């Protein structure tokens, strides 16, 4: 169907306008059904937290995502666990054996110095696409806007494909207040000087997703999207929900 005028979405092997889902142990049978219906609107799949390490059928799951041209990678918590135990070489071998080409470098749980992360990125980017995460999972830890900007820019300049802004799967830390309220002043400052096509904003709830769509546009990169929510998110992006109904007109005014 193509009789409606809708906001123009990126398509195919997208480099922006990404929908990145989080998989917290979705059974293979269920995942097959979900991807059969909605795989065309999913770009990236994060195998949440450290679950990939103990998932018995992880090889099948990775292969299934790749069949739908979805890029799978392991959650940053698994990277941090390997860093903590000095097992990064083993971790990289683990990813290669699974055929995973993307890796997340994060410090959401551990306080890994920025320079150490930058050093790791410079080495790892030779063999993997790197996604780095900025922000802590601890909602009591505050970063200044200047620190957010500086860290994101340094990570991108070091060779990261994308930088994720921490929000947790609950949307209660990083770029969010503990209550789930978006730190709008922070977001507005970030988008002034940084290419938003290179940022993946973690937005697990519909309300948070709609904020970013209206603030940045239909092709904003969104992460930590629940598998069961991808069709509703795409509907929001296309201006087919009340809250984003006038998105096409609003985007035309910006041109």
């Amino acid at each position: 169907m193509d009789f409606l005028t809708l906001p123009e979405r990126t398509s195919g092997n997208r480099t922006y306008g990404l929908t990145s889902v989080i998989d917290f142990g979705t059974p293979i049978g269920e995942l097959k059904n979900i991807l059969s219906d909605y795989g065309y609107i999913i770009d990236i799949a994060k195998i949440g937290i450290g679950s990939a390490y103990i998932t018995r059928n992880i090889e099948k799951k990775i292969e299934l995502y790749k069949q739908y041209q979805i890029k799978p990678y392991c959650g940053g918590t698994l990277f941090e666990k390997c860093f903590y135990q000095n097992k990064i070489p083993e971790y990289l071998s683990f990813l290669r054996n699974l055929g995973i080409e993307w890796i997340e470098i994060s410090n959401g749980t551990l306080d890994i110095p920025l320079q150490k992360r930058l050093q790791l990125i410079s080495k790892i980017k030779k063999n993997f696409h790197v996604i780095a995460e900025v922000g802590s999972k601890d909602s009591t830890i505050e970063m200044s806007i200047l620190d957010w900007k500086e860290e994101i820019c340094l990570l991108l300049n070091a060779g990261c494909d994308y930088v994720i802004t921490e929000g947790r799967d609950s949307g209660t830390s990083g770029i969010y207040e503990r209550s789930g309220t978006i730190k709008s002043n922070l977001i507005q400052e970030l988008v002034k000087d940084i290419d938003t096509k290179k940022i993946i904003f973690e937005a697990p709830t519909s309300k948070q997703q709609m904020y970013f769509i209206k603030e940045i546009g239909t092709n904003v990169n969104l992460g930590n999207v629940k598998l069961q929510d991808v069709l509703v998110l795409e509907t929001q992006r296309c201006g087919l929900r009340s809250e984003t109904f006038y998105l096409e007109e609003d985007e035309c005014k910006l041109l």
Side-chain angles (χ1 to χ4, degrees), residues 14-51:
R14 283 188 270 247
T15 57
Y16 67 99
L18 305 175
T19 293
S20 177
V21 298
I22 187 160
D23 183 335
F24 280 127
T26 307
I28 282 288
E30 182 180 342
L31 185 61
K32 286 180 180 178
N33 290 333
I34 292 172
L35 296 185
S36 176
D37 286 341
Y38 307 132
Y40 71 103
I41 49 177
I42 300 172
D43 304 286
I44 300 175
K46 178 192 289 192
I47 312 301
I49 49 180
S51 64

Side-chain angles (χ1 to χ4, degrees), residues 167-168 175-176 201-206 208-209 212 222-225:
R168 300 208 73 177
I175 56 174
Y176 302 101
F201 298 95
E202 290 194 338
T205 72
S206 179
Q208 293 162 350
Q209 292 159 12
F212 286 106
L222 296 174
N224 270 9
V225 178

